[in-house]
């Protein structure tokens, strides 16, 4: 079966879906072509941004649905010179397959598709209906999953598997993510006469330093996720070395850990802190304008290890001689948006090492993808005797 998995994974990797721009439409076409022998029941919807998402439906013995979620877009490959192999070749060495998206998360997409094929080839219904959600724009604002959540089929989901890479561990939590853009406007002038201007770049850096100092005072820790973070990830400013910058844009990536009953409120407080720091900086520097914009706001989420859903999945694994450990991931997934719309049990579970995400020489292992497919079958079939949610 590994050869079949490789051939599908190769197709997925070689179809570029770097975000920006995403361009998931070509990949949804390839997926539908691969599925064509089994006459799939599906919906395909285009986004204004040019991408598309795909909803694949498999009827079950019951009229309740379990969701399997995976995103089609990847981050950009970046500088190809840092890669040992072409990031879109899908180079295979033994059971390892290298390429952009191999782990995040076209290995998970392949596992989802083989799960669908299994039931169609067996010509039997799973105990519950299965919705396969192939989303767009997950690496940015999550426009794909937001659109999918409006579909009546998705609103009927009773539980969810997010097939992101966890090394086939049961991921029961993820960090919240808050992306902020600080826009600073000053007054440009000749750098030799800097006293005539207001340096937007320097003032912006002062502002960020103040914000980070105040933000770190309220940072929390989590037993599995560790410490929260606040990272300066991008700066845009200046037009020439001898001109005082009139405008600057500074971007922060903030990660938060689950705090029961306080998740959304904490993000709101962080945004208010950023607004306050901007106002204070404007009071201190005449001629300065500073504002903050929220680019992404995804709450931290978690399932309790003792929850019935998690315990049932562990028991099903145990019965198949698999010791399934729990974990949590520091990156965000589509689950954070789904759980903002409906309260359902979930796990993040998929093939690939999370540390492979977004790096050069990203890879996945065919053995692990094959194991994920088998475990998905075990989870679903196990629900014939025990309601797992």
């Amino acid at each position: 079966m590994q050869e079949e998995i490789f051939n599908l994974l190769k197709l997925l990797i070689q179809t570029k879906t770097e975000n920006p721009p995403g361009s998931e439409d070509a990949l949804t076409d390839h997926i539908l072509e691969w599925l064509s022998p089994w006459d799939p029941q599906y919906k395909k919807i285009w986004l204004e941004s040019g991408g598309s998402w795909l909803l694949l439906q498999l009827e079950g013995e019951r009229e309740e649905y379990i969701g399997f979620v995976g995103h089609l877009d990847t981050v950009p490959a970046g500088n190809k010179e840092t890669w040992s192999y072409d990031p879109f070749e899908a180079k295979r060495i033994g059971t390892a397959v290298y390429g952009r998206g191999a782990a995040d998360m076209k290995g998970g997409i392949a596992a989802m598709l083989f799960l669908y094929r299994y039931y169609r080839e067996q010509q039997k219904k799973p105990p519950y209906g299965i919705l396969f959600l192939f989303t767009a724009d997950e690496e940015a604002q999550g426009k794909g999953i937001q659109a999918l959540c409006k579909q009546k089929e998705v609103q009927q989901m009773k539980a969810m598997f997010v097939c992101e890479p966890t090394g086939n561990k049961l991921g029961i939590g993820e960090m919240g993510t808050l992306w902020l853009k600080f826009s600073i406007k000053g007054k440009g002038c000749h750098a030799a006469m800097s006293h005539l201007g207001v340096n937007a770049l320097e003032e912006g850096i002062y502002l960020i330093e103040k914000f980070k100092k105040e933000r770190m005072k309220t940072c929390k820790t989590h037993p599995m996720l560790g410490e929260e973070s606040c990272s300066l990830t991008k700066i845009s400013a200046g037009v020439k070395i001898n001109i005082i910058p009139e405008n600057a844009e500074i971007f922060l990536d903030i990660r938060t850990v689950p705090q029961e009953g306080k998740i959304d409120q904490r993000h709101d407080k962080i945004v208010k802190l950023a607004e306050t720091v901007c106002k204070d900086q404007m009071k201190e520097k005449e001629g300065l304008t500073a504002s903050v914009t929220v680019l992404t706001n995804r709450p931290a989420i978690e399932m309790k290890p003792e929850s019935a859903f998690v315990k049932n999945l562990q028991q099903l694994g145990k019965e198949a001689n698999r010791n399934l450990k729990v974990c949590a991931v520091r990156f965000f997934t589509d689950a954070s948006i789904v759980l903002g719309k409906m309260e359902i049990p979930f796990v993040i579970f998929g093939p690939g090492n999370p540390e492979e995400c977004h790096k050069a020489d990203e890879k996945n292992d065919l053995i692990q993808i094959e194991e994920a497919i088998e475990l998905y079958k075990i989870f679903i079939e196990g629900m014939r005797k025990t309601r797992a949610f």
Side-chain angles (χ1 to χ4, degrees):
M1 186 176 179
Q2 286 182 19
E3 194 65 29
E4 288 185 296
I5 295 172
F6 170 66
N7 289 333
L8 176 57
L9 183 58
K10 182 178 180 180
L11 172 67
L12 299 176
I13 291 173
Q14 290 183 344
T15 307
K16 296 182 182 180
T17 53
E18 294 172 289
N19 189 355
S23 303
E24 300 91 353
D25 191 50
L27 188 52
T28 55
D29 284 343
H30 285 315
I31 288 173
L32 289 173
E33 183 179 357
W34 188 87
L35 290 168
S36 60
W38 301 286
D39 191 25
Q41 181 181 349
Y42 70 91
K43 286 184 179 180
K44 176 182 175 180
I45 302 294
W46 287 265
L47 298 172
E48 292 181 1
S49 58
S52 62
W53 55 257
L54 185 66
L55 171 62
L56 186 63
Q57 189 169 348
L58 191 64
E59 295 298 331
E61 294 174 354
R62 299 176 177 86
E63 294 184 356
E64 296 175 298
Y65 288 96
I66 297 169
F68 280 77
V69 183
H71 64 88
L72 302 175
D73 59 325
T74 72
V75 295
N79 183 0
K80 292 185 179 181
E81 293 181 0
T82 65
W83 288 73
S84 302
Y85 316 102
D86 185 322
F88 300 104
E89 177 187 354
K91 177 72 173 181
R92 178 178 179 179
I93 300 178
T95 59
V97 181
Y98 292 79
R100 175 54 81 221
D104 186 18
M105 60 162 289
K106 292 179 177 178
I109 294 294
M112 291 167 62
L113 289 169
F114 273 100
L115 177 65
Y116 177 87
R117 190 186 82 168
Y118 167 77
Y119 279 104
R120 295 293 283 157
E121 287 185 337
Q122 294 295 314
Q123 295 185 350
K124 69 174 184 178
K125 290 184 177 181
Y128 295 90
I130 303 177
L131 299 177
F132 297 86
L133 281 61
F134 300 96
T135 72
D137 194 49
E138 188 272 349
E139 296 288 1
Q141 296 177 312
K143 293 177 181 177
I145 191 63
Q146 290 180 44
L148 274 162
C149 284
K150 297 177 182 178
Q151 302 299 306
K152 65 179 186 301
E153 299 92 339
V154 176
Q155 293 171 4
Q156 296 171 2
M157 283 196 315
K158 301 300 181 182
M160 175 174 60
F161 292 87
V162 181
C163 305
E164 295 263 14
T166 61
N168 289 343
K169 296 180 180 178
L170 294 168
I172 61 173
E174 67 179 62
M175 296 193 87
T177 302
L178 188 61
W179 289 349
L180 300 181
K181 179 180 78 171
F182 291 82
S183 301
I184 300 96
K185 182 175 177 59
K187 182 180 180 182
C189 68
H190 197 299
M193 294 171 279
S194 59
H195 62 284
L196 298 177
V198 176
N199 193 318
L201 177 56
E202 287 186 353
E203 294 297 327
I205 291 174
Y206 296 153
L207 187 156
I208 295 300
E209 288 177 345
K210 293 176 183 177
F211 171 79
K212 289 188 67 174
K213 184 177 180 180
E214 291 301 313
R215 163 68 192 128
M216 297 308 290
K217 291 179 181 178
T218 58
C219 280
K220 308 293 184 182
T221 60
H222 187 276
M224 284 191 291
L225 290 165
E227 296 182 349
E228 297 181 331
S229 63
C230 179
S231 303
L232 195 164
T233 55
K234 184 180 176 183
I235 294 179
S236 176
V239 293
K240 200 171 185 293
I241 195 169
N242 61 345
I243 299 176
I244 296 298
E246 180 178 356
N247 298 289
E249 290 184 338
I250 303 179
F251 299 80
L252 291 183
D253 179 303
I254 299 168
R255 304 286 165 146
T256 59
V257 299
Q259 295 284 304
E260 189 172 356
K262 300 179 181 179
I263 298 171
D264 293 333
Q265 184 180 3
R266 292 186 65 224
H267 280 201
D268 290 344
K269 287 183 177 180
I270 294 171
V271 174
K272 288 180 180 178
L273 172 62
E275 292 171 344
T276 298
V277 172
C278 287
K279 291 177 182 178
D280 290 344
Q281 191 76 358
M282 286 189 288
K283 290 178 182 177
E284 293 179 11
K285 190 69 174 183
E286 186 178 351
L288 179 74
T289 302
S291 62
V292 62
T293 303
V294 177
L295 300 180
T296 291
N297 186 355
R298 297 177 182 241
I301 57 174
E302 69 175 339
M303 289 283 293
K304 297 299 181 184
E306 63 273 14
S307 69
F309 188 58
V310 175
K311 287 296 184 184
N312 284 334
L313 295 179
Q314 286 182 311
Q315 180 60 34
L316 291 171
K318 185 177 180 180
E319 292 172 3
N321 297 315
R322 312 290 178 90
N323 181 23
L324 297 178
K325 298 180 180 179
V326 298
C327 69
V329 298
R330 292 185 65 88
F331 52 82
F332 63 71
T333 75
D334 282 325
S336 61
I337 292 178
V338 174
L339 295 184
K341 310 290 185 183
M342 60 188 79
E343 293 187 14
I344 57 173
F346 76 96
V347 291
I348 306 163
F349 186 94
N353 184 341
E355 294 182 0
E356 292 291 332
C357 301
H358 299 195
K359 62 181 284 190
D361 290 341
E362 178 184 353
K363 65 181 182 296
N364 210 328
D365 193 286
L366 296 173
I367 295 174
Q368 206 169 105
I369 297 172
E370 187 174 24
E371 180 186 48
I373 297 166
E374 292 307 309
L375 283 166
Y376 290 153
K377 295 177 189 176
I378 289 168
F379 294 154
I380 296 300
E381 286 302 305
M383 294 179 191
R384 290 189 186 278
K385 57 183 179 181
T386 303
R387 185 180 178 91
F389 46 85

